[in-house]
Amino acid sequence: MTPILKLALIGHVFAGLVALIFYYAMIPNLIGKNPQLNFLKRLSLFGLVSLLVSWILAGYYYVTYYGQNVKPLIKSGQLPWAHSILMETKEHIFLFLPFLGLVLLASLLSIKSDITRDDNLRKALASLAFLIVALGTAVTIFGVVISGAAK
Amino acid sequence: MDWTTILKISHLIGTVLGVGAVSFIDFFYLRAARDGKIEPSEVEPIRLLTPFLRLGLIILILSGFGYFLFYRLTGHEERLLNPRFLAKITVVGVILINGLLLQTKKIPVNIGGPISSASWYTAFILGAWRALNLSYFAIIAAYVFVVLMAIFTLGVIKKLLKIPI
């Protein structure tokens, strides 16, 4: 594996984790009594940027290395389903995540009213942030199992 | 200093911060609740300790994934499917979900507190007990038992100390 590929592998994991930390931090703030709109906008922006960084790095690793070098190992190993089920699922969720992040950021940027008075809006935004965290956590765990199967 | 040492030190710092903070939070909570009402000044130590708990969790997760990448890049991928490693990921997941439920007040402190303490100690023990050779489900069953025991123990302590809340 070349140094650039190693960097892509390491970078996509850490950028993804950092994104999840940002989105995770949004949930209690949205549900709490005093949500701070500017703080939420910042978290959402940082979360989206981190997701996009993770997206580009993972895309590079997947297109240039995974298919030719890792996938055959998994398919011929003891856990071929790690690719056929987990990686196939991971790919699609992973492609979808930045769009969810974009929806969340766009929703926060478009809020003109007092967010503290609109419980339904806050609950909907918290649910969206939770969905990103839940899906992100799922693909992270899939990644661990997929890597474990590449032996 | 090599990468394994850096990872080990940061993982230990994360665990120490988390286990230490959760232990003191439990102690201050019990002390504050002794008279049946919690004054704002009694909450202050808990408020001060909470960022350390969060910092410990972030360091633990990032260094944990540092180990994941280290195993992946050094050809030790089989360690990623080690039941102890997978159980530890599960326990950290419980800490995250429980923390969220506690912060959003969707779970009572009487339940969420012991889950948090038991989970942090379980993560600590799983990290330290390298010779542990049990299946994933056996470890998780033991963990569930520990959590239930922690909830039960807190109830007993509250009864013994006559804590009404």
mmCIF file of all heavy atoms in Angstrom, chain A residues 60-105:
data_model
loop_
_atom_site.group_PDB
_atom_site.id
_atom_site.type_symbol
_atom_site.label_atom_id
_atom_site.label_comp_id
_atom_site.label_asym_id
_atom_site.label_seq_id
_atom_site.Cartn_x
_atom_site.Cartn_y
_atom_site.Cartn_z
ATOM 1 N N TYR A 60 -11.280 7.577 -2.938
ATOM 2 C CA TYR A 60 -9.987 7.346 -3.583
ATOM 3 C C TYR A 60 -9.456 5.947 -3.225
ATOM 4 O O TYR A 60 -9.031 5.193 -4.098
ATOM 5 C CB TYR A 60 -8.995 8.432 -3.137
ATOM 6 C CG TYR A 60 -7.615 8.235 -3.688
ATOM 7 C CD1 TYR A 60 -7.331 8.495 -5.026
ATOM 8 C CD2 TYR A 60 -6.586 7.768 -2.876
ATOM 9 C CE1 TYR A 60 -6.060 8.292 -5.542
ATOM 10 C CE2 TYR A 60 -5.313 7.561 -3.385
ATOM 11 C CZ TYR A 60 -5.056 7.834 -4.716
ATOM 12 O OH TYR A 60 -3.795 7.623 -5.212
ATOM 13 N N TYR A 61 -9.525 5.614 -1.929
ATOM 14 C CA TYR A 61 -9.038 4.306 -1.467
ATOM 15 C C TYR A 61 -9.851 3.172 -2.101
ATOM 16 O O TYR A 61 -9.304 2.175 -2.570
ATOM 17 C CB TYR A 61 -9.143 4.247 0.066
ATOM 18 C CG TYR A 61 -8.851 2.895 0.661
ATOM 19 C CD1 TYR A 61 -7.546 2.468 0.857
ATOM 20 C CD2 TYR A 61 -9.890 2.037 1.019
ATOM 21 C CE1 TYR A 61 -7.280 1.227 1.391
ATOM 22 C CE2 TYR A 61 -9.625 0.786 1.555
ATOM 23 C CZ TYR A 61 -8.332 0.385 1.742
ATOM 24 O OH TYR A 61 -8.065 -0.844 2.264
ATOM 25 N N TYR A 62 -11.149 3.358 -2.149
ATOM 26 C CA TYR A 62 -12.044 2.302 -2.646
ATOM 27 C C TYR A 62 -11.805 2.058 -4.137
ATOM 28 O O TYR A 62 -11.693 0.912 -4.584
ATOM 29 C CB TYR A 62 -13.506 2.717 -2.399
ATOM 30 C CG TYR A 62 -14.498 1.625 -2.723
ATOM 31 C CD1 TYR A 62 -14.781 0.628 -1.808
ATOM 32 C CD2 TYR A 62 -15.139 1.593 -3.957
ATOM 33 C CE1 TYR A 62 -15.684 -0.383 -2.104
ATOM 34 C CE2 TYR A 62 -16.042 0.588 -4.261
ATOM 35 C CZ TYR A 62 -16.303 -0.393 -3.329
ATOM 36 O OH TYR A 62 -17.192 -1.391 -3.632
ATOM 37 N N VAL A 63 -11.724 3.150 -4.907
ATOM 38 C CA VAL A 63 -11.606 3.021 -6.368
ATOM 39 C C VAL A 63 -10.222 2.515 -6.778
ATOM 40 O O VAL A 63 -10.096 1.676 -7.666
ATOM 41 C CB VAL A 63 -11.920 4.386 -7.042
ATOM 42 C CG1 VAL A 63 -11.601 4.353 -8.528
ATOM 43 C CG2 VAL A 63 -13.382 4.747 -6.823
ATOM 44 N N THR A 64 -9.171 2.997 -6.094
ATOM 45 C CA THR A 64 -7.826 2.647 -6.560
ATOM 46 C C THR A 64 -7.218 1.412 -5.870
ATOM 47 O O THR A 64 -6.251 0.857 -6.373
ATOM 48 C CB THR A 64 -6.847 3.820 -6.348
ATOM 49 O OG1 THR A 64 -6.847 4.137 -4.961
ATOM 50 C CG2 THR A 64 -7.241 5.038 -7.161
ATOM 51 N N TYR A 65 -7.760 0.996 -4.719
ATOM 52 C CA TYR A 65 -7.090 -0.091 -3.981
ATOM 53 C C TYR A 65 -8.026 -1.235 -3.575
ATOM 54 O O TYR A 65 -7.725 -2.398 -3.834
ATOM 55 C CB TYR A 65 -6.409 0.490 -2.741
ATOM 56 C CG TYR A 65 -5.532 -0.513 -2.015
ATOM 57 C CD1 TYR A 65 -4.268 -0.830 -2.499
ATOM 58 C CD2 TYR A 65 -5.979 -1.142 -0.851
ATOM 59 C CE1 TYR A 65 -3.459 -1.753 -1.849
ATOM 60 C CE2 TYR A 65 -5.180 -2.065 -0.196
ATOM 61 C CZ TYR A 65 -3.917 -2.359 -0.699
ATOM 62 O OH TYR A 65 -3.125 -3.270 -0.044
ATOM 63 N N TYR A 66 -9.147 -0.897 -2.957
ATOM 64 C CA TYR A 66 -9.993 -1.923 -2.348
ATOM 65 C C TYR A 66 -10.423 -3.002 -3.350
ATOM 66 O O TYR A 66 -10.260 -4.196 -3.102
ATOM 67 C CB TYR A 66 -11.225 -1.266 -1.692
ATOM 68 C CG TYR A 66 -12.179 -2.282 -1.095
ATOM 69 C CD1 TYR A 66 -11.994 -2.755 0.198
ATOM 70 C CD2 TYR A 66 -13.241 -2.787 -1.840
ATOM 71 C CE1 TYR A 66 -12.843 -3.707 0.732
ATOM 72 C CE2 TYR A 66 -14.101 -3.742 -1.310
ATOM 73 C CZ TYR A 66 -13.901 -4.202 -0.033
ATOM 74 O OH TYR A 66 -14.727 -5.145 0.491
ATOM 75 N N GLY A 67 -10.973 -2.552 -4.484
ATOM 76 C CA GLY A 67 -11.516 -3.501 -5.468
ATOM 77 C C GLY A 67 -10.508 -4.510 -5.963
ATOM 78 O O GLY A 67 -10.815 -5.699 -6.104
ATOM 79 N N GLN A 68 -9.283 -4.060 -6.211
ATOM 80 C CA GLN A 68 -8.261 -4.949 -6.787
ATOM 81 C C GLN A 68 -7.526 -5.767 -5.725
ATOM 82 O O GLN A 68 -7.086 -6.882 -6.002
ATOM 83 C CB GLN A 68 -7.205 -4.130 -7.568
ATOM 84 C CG GLN A 68 -7.716 -3.424 -8.798
ATOM 85 C CD GLN A 68 -8.265 -2.032 -8.486
ATOM 86 O OE1 GLN A 68 -8.360 -1.645 -7.329
ATOM 87 N NE2 GLN A 68 -8.659 -1.304 -9.515
ATOM 88 N N ASN A 69 -7.385 -5.209 -4.532
ATOM 89 C CA ASN A 69 -6.511 -5.860 -3.539
ATOM 90 C C ASN A 69 -7.221 -6.447 -2.322
ATOM 91 O O ASN A 69 -6.822 -7.488 -1.813
ATOM 92 C CB ASN A 69 -5.456 -4.857 -3.047
ATOM 93 C CG ASN A 69 -4.575 -4.382 -4.170
ATOM 94 O OD1 ASN A 69 -3.725 -5.111 -4.648
ATOM 95 N ND2 ASN A 69 -4.821 -3.174 -4.634
ATOM 96 N N VAL A 70 -8.237 -5.796 -1.824
ATOM 97 C CA VAL A 70 -8.870 -6.255 -0.574
ATOM 98 C C VAL A 70 -10.084 -7.146 -0.863
ATOM 99 O O VAL A 70 -10.250 -8.199 -0.240
ATOM 100 C CB VAL A 70 -9.284 -5.045 0.307
ATOM 101 C CG1 VAL A 70 -9.820 -5.514 1.649
ATOM 102 C CG2 VAL A 70 -8.105 -4.108 0.527
ATOM 103 N N LYS A 71 -10.906 -6.710 -1.802
ATOM 104 C CA LYS A 71 -12.127 -7.467 -2.121
ATOM 105 C C LYS A 71 -11.847 -8.945 -2.454
ATOM 106 O O LYS A 71 -12.501 -9.828 -1.888
ATOM 107 C CB LYS A 71 -12.843 -6.776 -3.284
ATOM 108 C CG LYS A 71 -14.157 -7.396 -3.677
ATOM 109 C CD LYS A 71 -14.774 -6.591 -4.814
ATOM 110 C CE LYS A 71 -15.734 -7.417 -5.616
ATOM 111 N NZ LYS A 71 -16.244 -6.700 -6.783
ATOM 112 N N PRO A 72 -10.854 -9.263 -3.327
ATOM 113 C CA PRO A 72 -10.597 -10.686 -3.616
ATOM 114 C C PRO A 72 -10.200 -11.472 -2.367
ATOM 115 O O PRO A 72 -10.592 -12.637 -2.233
ATOM 116 C CB PRO A 72 -9.425 -10.643 -4.622
ATOM 117 C CG PRO A 72 -9.426 -9.267 -5.177
ATOM 118 C CD PRO A 72 -9.973 -8.385 -4.118
ATOM 119 N N LEU A 73 -9.451 -10.822 -1.474
ATOM 120 C CA LEU A 73 -9.043 -11.499 -0.224
ATOM 121 C C LEU A 73 -10.263 -11.865 0.619
ATOM 122 O O LEU A 73 -10.357 -12.960 1.167
ATOM 123 C CB LEU A 73 -8.156 -10.560 0.614
ATOM 124 C CG LEU A 73 -6.657 -10.521 0.337
ATOM 125 C CD1 LEU A 73 -6.002 -9.481 1.239
ATOM 126 C CD2 LEU A 73 -6.059 -11.897 0.601
ATOM 127 N N ILE A 74 -11.196 -10.911 0.728
ATOM 128 C CA ILE A 74 -12.393 -11.152 1.548
ATOM 129 C C ILE A 74 -13.270 -12.227 0.892
ATOM 130 O O ILE A 74 -13.730 -13.149 1.561
ATOM 131 C CB ILE A 74 -13.206 -9.842 1.733
ATOM 132 C CG1 ILE A 74 -12.362 -8.795 2.465
ATOM 133 C CG2 ILE A 74 -14.496 -10.113 2.513
ATOM 134 C CD1 ILE A 74 -13.000 -7.425 2.568
ATOM 135 N N LYS A 75 -13.426 -12.121 -0.432
ATOM 136 C CA LYS A 75 -14.297 -13.067 -1.148
ATOM 137 C C LYS A 75 -13.779 -14.503 -1.060
ATOM 138 O O LYS A 75 -14.558 -15.455 -1.054
ATOM 139 C CB LYS A 75 -14.416 -12.663 -2.620
ATOM 140 C CG LYS A 75 -15.118 -11.323 -2.839
ATOM 141 C CD LYS A 75 -16.606 -11.407 -2.689
ATOM 142 C CE LYS A 75 -17.275 -11.408 -4.032
ATOM 143 N NZ LYS A 75 -18.745 -11.444 -3.872
ATOM 144 N N SER A 76 -12.450 -14.647 -0.968
ATOM 145 C CA SER A 76 -11.884 -15.998 -0.891
ATOM 146 C C SER A 76 -11.624 -16.424 0.557
ATOM 147 O O SER A 76 -11.156 -17.530 0.808
ATOM 148 C CB SER A 76 -10.579 -16.071 -1.687
ATOM 149 O OG SER A 76 -9.667 -15.133 -1.132
ATOM 150 N N GLY A 77 -11.932 -15.537 1.502
ATOM 151 C CA GLY A 77 -11.671 -15.841 2.916
ATOM 152 C C GLY A 77 -12.837 -16.531 3.610
ATOM 153 O O GLY A 77 -13.754 -17.051 2.946
ATOM 154 N N GLN A 78 -12.805 -16.510 4.928
ATOM 155 C CA GLN A 78 -13.831 -17.221 5.708
ATOM 156 C C GLN A 78 -15.123 -16.422 5.855
ATOM 157 O O GLN A 78 -16.150 -16.975 6.228
ATOM 158 C CB GLN A 78 -13.275 -17.543 7.103
ATOM 159 C CG GLN A 78 -12.231 -18.657 7.067
ATOM 160 C CD GLN A 78 -11.718 -18.970 8.449
ATOM 161 O OE1 GLN A 78 -11.508 -18.072 9.268
ATOM 162 N NE2 GLN A 78 -11.504 -20.248 8.727
ATOM 163 N N LEU A 79 -15.064 -15.115 5.603
ATOM 164 C CA LEU A 79 -16.259 -14.273 5.770
ATOM 165 C C LEU A 79 -16.569 -13.501 4.481
ATOM 166 O O LEU A 79 -16.504 -12.270 4.449
ATOM 167 C CB LEU A 79 -16.056 -13.272 6.914
ATOM 168 C CG LEU A 79 -15.616 -13.810 8.282
ATOM 169 C CD1 LEU A 79 -15.252 -12.664 9.217
ATOM 170 C CD2 LEU A 79 -16.725 -14.638 8.898
ATOM 171 N N PRO A 80 -16.935 -14.229 3.400
ATOM 172 C CA PRO A 80 -17.188 -13.513 2.137
ATOM 173 C C PRO A 80 -18.356 -12.533 2.223
ATOM 174 O O PRO A 80 -18.410 -11.559 1.479
ATOM 175 C CB PRO A 80 -17.487 -14.635 1.143
ATOM 176 C CG PRO A 80 -17.781 -15.835 1.957
ATOM 177 C CD PRO A 80 -17.097 -15.684 3.266
ATOM 178 N N TRP A 81 -19.275 -12.786 3.170
ATOM 179 C CA TRP A 81 -20.416 -11.886 3.342
ATOM 180 C C TRP A 81 -19.986 -10.501 3.838
ATOM 181 O O TRP A 81 -20.730 -9.529 3.725
ATOM 182 C CB TRP A 81 -21.478 -12.472 4.286
ATOM 183 C CG TRP A 81 -20.911 -12.956 5.598
ATOM 184 C CD1 TRP A 81 -20.522 -14.224 5.892
ATOM 185 C CD2 TRP A 81 -20.638 -12.171 6.773
ATOM 186 N NE1 TRP A 81 -20.025 -14.279 7.175
ATOM 187 C CE2 TRP A 81 -20.097 -13.038 7.742
ATOM 188 C CE3 TRP A 81 -20.801 -10.828 7.109
ATOM 189 C CZ2 TRP A 81 -19.713 -12.598 9.008
ATOM 190 C CZ3 TRP A 81 -20.423 -10.391 8.373
ATOM 191 C CH2 TRP A 81 -19.887 -11.276 9.301
ATOM 192 N N ALA A 82 -18.761 -10.414 4.367
ATOM 193 C CA ALA A 82 -18.274 -9.107 4.828
ATOM 194 C C ALA A 82 -18.217 -8.138 3.652
ATOM 195 O O ALA A 82 -18.428 -6.939 3.814
ATOM 196 C CB ALA A 82 -16.888 -9.254 5.463
ATOM 197 N N HIS A 83 -17.947 -8.681 2.447
ATOM 198 C CA HIS A 83 -18.000 -7.793 1.270
ATOM 199 C C HIS A 83 -19.412 -7.750 0.689
ATOM 200 O O HIS A 83 -19.975 -6.669 0.496
ATOM 201 C CB HIS A 83 -17.028 -8.241 0.171
ATOM 202 C CG HIS A 83 -17.210 -7.423 -1.076
ATOM 203 N ND1 HIS A 83 -16.665 -6.171 -1.221
ATOM 204 C CD2 HIS A 83 -17.965 -7.641 -2.186
ATOM 205 C CE1 HIS A 83 -17.049 -5.653 -2.366
ATOM 206 N NE2 HIS A 83 -17.839 -6.528 -2.981
ATOM 207 N N SER A 84 -19.965 -8.951 0.415
ATOM 208 C CA SER A 84 -21.222 -8.991 -0.346
ATOM 209 C C SER A 84 -22.395 -8.346 0.409
ATOM 210 O O SER A 84 -23.317 -7.835 -0.230
ATOM 211 C CB SER A 84 -21.563 -10.420 -0.744
ATOM 212 O OG SER A 84 -21.500 -11.254 0.382
ATOM 213 N N ILE A 85 -22.363 -8.356 1.713
ATOM 214 C CA ILE A 85 -23.465 -7.723 2.465
ATOM 215 C C ILE A 85 -22.999 -6.409 3.091
ATOM 216 O O ILE A 85 -23.553 -5.349 2.814
ATOM 217 C CB ILE A 85 -24.026 -8.684 3.551
ATOM 218 C CG1 ILE A 85 -24.623 -9.927 2.892
ATOM 219 C CG2 ILE A 85 -25.081 -7.965 4.404
ATOM 220 C CD1 ILE A 85 -25.085 -10.997 3.831
ATOM 221 N N LEU A 86 -21.945 -6.501 3.933
ATOM 222 C CA LEU A 86 -21.557 -5.305 4.696
ATOM 223 C C LEU A 86 -20.993 -4.193 3.811
ATOM 224 O O LEU A 86 -21.403 -3.044 3.919
ATOM 225 C CB LEU A 86 -20.562 -5.675 5.797
ATOM 226 C CG LEU A 86 -21.066 -6.624 6.882
ATOM 227 C CD1 LEU A 86 -20.018 -6.776 7.987
ATOM 228 C CD2 LEU A 86 -22.362 -6.120 7.500
ATOM 229 N N MET A 87 -20.050 -4.542 2.920
ATOM 230 C CA MET A 87 -19.447 -3.483 2.099
ATOM 231 C C MET A 87 -20.465 -2.910 1.111
ATOM 232 O O MET A 87 -20.489 -1.699 0.880
ATOM 233 C CB MET A 87 -18.217 -4.016 1.359
ATOM 234 C CG MET A 87 -17.479 -2.935 0.586
ATOM 235 S SD MET A 87 -17.208 -1.397 1.522
ATOM 236 C CE MET A 87 -15.453 -1.352 1.679
ATOM 237 N N GLU A 88 -21.300 -3.789 0.561
ATOM 238 C CA GLU A 88 -22.327 -3.296 -0.389
ATOM 239 C C GLU A 88 -23.279 -2.329 0.322
ATOM 240 O O GLU A 88 -23.676 -1.310 -0.236
ATOM 241 C CB GLU A 88 -23.110 -4.475 -0.996
ATOM 242 C CG GLU A 88 -22.288 -5.379 -1.901
ATOM 243 C CD GLU A 88 -21.843 -4.708 -3.198
ATOM 244 O OE1 GLU A 88 -22.413 -3.672 -3.568
ATOM 245 O OE2 GLU A 88 -20.903 -5.225 -3.848
ATOM 246 N N THR A 89 -23.637 -2.659 1.558
ATOM 247 C CA THR A 89 -24.520 -1.772 2.336
ATOM 248 C C THR A 89 -23.775 -0.492 2.698
ATOM 249 O O THR A 89 -24.313 0.613 2.565
ATOM 250 C CB THR A 89 -24.970 -2.483 3.638
ATOM 251 O OG1 THR A 89 -25.444 -3.779 3.301
ATOM 252 C CG2 THR A 89 -26.065 -1.711 4.354
ATOM 253 N N LYS A 90 -22.524 -0.670 3.143
ATOM 254 C CA LYS A 90 -21.717 0.470 3.581
ATOM 255 C C LYS A 90 -21.558 1.500 2.456
ATOM 256 O O LYS A 90 -21.696 2.696 2.684
ATOM 257 C CB LYS A 90 -20.335 -0.033 4.039
ATOM 258 C CG LYS A 90 -19.494 1.047 4.683
ATOM 259 C CD LYS A 90 -18.111 0.558 5.060
ATOM 260 C CE LYS A 90 -17.300 1.759 5.514
ATOM 261 N NZ LYS A 90 -15.919 1.525 5.679
ATOM 262 N N GLU A 91 -21.280 0.990 1.251
ATOM 263 C CA GLU A 91 -21.110 1.883 0.094
ATOM 264 C C GLU A 91 -22.298 2.835 -0.069
ATOM 265 O O GLU A 91 -22.119 4.034 -0.232
ATOM 266 C CB GLU A 91 -21.079 1.046 -1.188
ATOM 267 C CG GLU A 91 -19.755 0.532 -1.624
ATOM 268 C CD GLU A 91 -19.952 -0.396 -2.802
ATOM 269 O OE1 GLU A 91 -20.685 -0.034 -3.753
ATOM 270 O OE2 GLU A 91 -19.396 -1.491 -2.744
ATOM 271 N N HIS A 92 -23.483 2.266 -0.022
ATOM 272 C CA HIS A 92 -24.682 3.065 -0.297
ATOM 273 C C HIS A 92 -24.989 4.037 0.833
ATOM 274 O O HIS A 92 -25.333 5.194 0.586
ATOM 275 C CB HIS A 92 -25.884 2.152 -0.574
ATOM 276 C CG HIS A 92 -25.716 1.386 -1.847
ATOM 277 N ND1 HIS A 92 -25.065 0.169 -1.889
ATOM 278 C CD2 HIS A 92 -26.035 1.692 -3.112
ATOM 279 C CE1 HIS A 92 -25.023 -0.249 -3.142
ATOM 280 N NE2 HIS A 92 -25.614 0.655 -3.905
ATOM 281 N N ILE A 93 -24.842 3.564 2.064
ATOM 282 C CA ILE A 93 -25.074 4.473 3.202
ATOM 283 C C ILE A 93 -24.041 5.594 3.170
ATOM 284 O O ILE A 93 -24.355 6.761 3.373
ATOM 285 C CB ILE A 93 -24.996 3.712 4.557
ATOM 286 C CG1 ILE A 93 -26.116 2.678 4.658
ATOM 287 C CG2 ILE A 93 -25.102 4.684 5.732
ATOM 288 C CD1 ILE A 93 -26.045 1.793 5.895
ATOM 289 N N PHE A 94 -22.796 5.214 2.890
ATOM 290 C CA PHE A 94 -21.697 6.177 2.894
ATOM 291 C C PHE A 94 -21.921 7.277 1.846
ATOM 292 O O PHE A 94 -21.662 8.450 2.101
ATOM 293 C CB PHE A 94 -20.390 5.432 2.628
ATOM 294 C CG PHE A 94 -19.169 6.254 2.897
ATOM 295 C CD1 PHE A 94 -18.797 6.555 4.190
ATOM 296 C CD2 PHE A 94 -18.394 6.735 1.857
ATOM 297 C CE1 PHE A 94 -17.671 7.320 4.453
ATOM 298 C CE2 PHE A 94 -17.264 7.497 2.104
ATOM 299 C CZ PHE A 94 -16.907 7.786 3.405
ATOM 300 N N LEU A 95 -22.429 6.878 0.671
ATOM 301 C CA LEU A 95 -22.696 7.859 -0.386
ATOM 302 C C LEU A 95 -23.800 8.821 0.031
ATOM 303 O O LEU A 95 -23.821 9.981 -0.356
ATOM 304 C CB LEU A 95 -23.102 7.139 -1.682
ATOM 305 C CG LEU A 95 -21.981 6.434 -2.433
ATOM 306 C CD1 LEU A 95 -22.543 5.631 -3.587
ATOM 307 C CD2 LEU A 95 -20.973 7.446 -2.962
ATOM 308 N N PHE A 96 -24.708 8.311 0.848
ATOM 309 C CA PHE A 96 -25.905 9.054 1.219
ATOM 310 C C PHE A 96 -25.653 10.058 2.359
ATOM 311 O O PHE A 96 -26.322 11.091 2.436
ATOM 312 C CB PHE A 96 -26.940 7.998 1.655
ATOM 313 C CG PHE A 96 -28.329 8.507 1.851
ATOM 314 C CD1 PHE A 96 -29.005 9.138 0.821
ATOM 315 C CD2 PHE A 96 -28.978 8.352 3.064
ATOM 316 C CE1 PHE A 96 -30.291 9.607 0.987
ATOM 317 C CE2 PHE A 96 -30.266 8.819 3.251
ATOM 318 C CZ PHE A 96 -30.917 9.446 2.202
ATOM 319 N N LEU A 97 -24.682 9.738 3.220
ATOM 320 C CA LEU A 97 -24.484 10.532 4.446
ATOM 321 C C LEU A 97 -24.247 12.039 4.234
ATOM 322 O O LEU A 97 -24.881 12.851 4.904
ATOM 323 C CB LEU A 97 -23.347 9.948 5.294
ATOM 324 C CG LEU A 97 -23.712 8.768 6.194
ATOM 325 C CD1 LEU A 97 -22.475 8.234 6.900
ATOM 326 C CD2 LEU A 97 -24.768 9.146 7.216
ATOM 327 N N PRO A 98 -23.355 12.449 3.306
ATOM 328 C CA PRO A 98 -23.161 13.895 3.140
ATOM 329 C C PRO A 98 -24.435 14.616 2.715
ATOM 330 O O PRO A 98 -24.618 15.795 3.040
ATOM 331 C CB PRO A 98 -22.090 13.984 2.050
ATOM 332 C CG PRO A 98 -21.383 12.689 2.105
ATOM 333 C CD PRO A 98 -22.420 11.688 2.469
ATOM 334 N N PHE A 99 -25.321 13.926 1.994
ATOM 335 C CA PHE A 99 -26.580 14.565 1.586
ATOM 336 C C PHE A 99 -27.469 14.819 2.809
ATOM 337 O O PHE A 99 -28.123 15.854 2.901
ATOM 338 C CB PHE A 99 -27.303 13.707 0.536
ATOM 339 C CG PHE A 99 -26.555 13.653 -0.763
ATOM 340 C CD1 PHE A 99 -25.777 12.554 -1.088
ATOM 341 C CD2 PHE A 99 -26.571 14.726 -1.637
ATOM 342 C CE1 PHE A 99 -25.044 12.516 -2.257
ATOM 343 C CE2 PHE A 99 -25.843 14.698 -2.821
ATOM 344 C CZ PHE A 99 -25.074 13.595 -3.131
ATOM 345 N N LEU A 100 -27.458 13.850 3.725
ATOM 346 C CA LEU A 100 -28.201 14.065 4.980
ATOM 347 C C LEU A 100 -27.599 15.249 5.747
ATOM 348 O O LEU A 100 -28.321 16.081 6.293
ATOM 349 C CB LEU A 100 -28.166 12.808 5.858
ATOM 350 C CG LEU A 100 -29.013 11.618 5.437
ATOM 351 C CD1 LEU A 100 -28.814 10.464 6.414
ATOM 352 C CD2 LEU A 100 -30.485 11.970 5.384
ATOM 353 N N GLY A 101 -26.268 15.300 5.765
ATOM 354 C CA GLY A 101 -25.574 16.403 6.435
ATOM 355 C C GLY A 101 -25.905 17.735 5.791
ATOM 356 O O GLY A 101 -26.100 18.744 6.486
ATOM 357 N N LEU A 102 -26.015 17.726 4.461
ATOM 358 C CA LEU A 102 -26.338 18.951 3.722
ATOM 359 C C LEU A 102 -27.766 19.412 4.038
ATOM 360 O O LEU A 102 -28.016 20.611 4.224
ATOM 361 C CB LEU A 102 -26.177 18.691 2.218
ATOM 362 C CG LEU A 102 -26.271 19.891 1.292
ATOM 363 C CD1 LEU A 102 -25.127 20.870 1.571
ATOM 364 C CD2 LEU A 102 -26.204 19.443 -0.170
ATOM 365 N N VAL A 103 -28.687 18.448 4.124
ATOM 366 C CA VAL A 103 -30.080 18.778 4.459
ATOM 367 C C VAL A 103 -30.142 19.422 5.850
ATOM 368 O O VAL A 103 -30.828 20.434 6.055
ATOM 369 C CB VAL A 103 -30.980 17.513 4.417
ATOM 370 C CG1 VAL A 103 -32.362 17.794 4.982
ATOM 371 C CG2 VAL A 103 -31.101 16.994 2.995
ATOM 372 N N LEU A 104 -29.385 18.835 6.782
ATOM 373 C CA LEU A 104 -29.387 19.361 8.152
ATOM 374 C C LEU A 104 -28.824 20.790 8.187
ATOM 375 O O LEU A 104 -29.418 21.689 8.806
ATOM 376 C CB LEU A 104 -28.555 18.434 9.055
ATOM 377 C CG LEU A 104 -28.566 18.714 10.552
ATOM 378 C CD1 LEU A 104 -29.976 18.722 11.108
ATOM 379 C CD2 LEU A 104 -27.752 17.669 11.302
ATOM 380 N N LEU A 105 -27.716 21.006 7.499
ATOM 381 C CA LEU A 105 -27.108 22.344 7.484
ATOM 382 C C LEU A 105 -28.046 23.345 6.796
ATOM 383 O O LEU A 105 -28.262 24.451 7.312
ATOM 384 C CB LEU A 105 -25.749 22.305 6.765
ATOM 385 C CG LEU A 105 -25.036 23.649 6.636
ATOM 386 C CD1 LEU A 105 -24.670 24.221 8.002
ATOM 387 C CD2 LEU A 105 -23.768 23.533 5.789
#
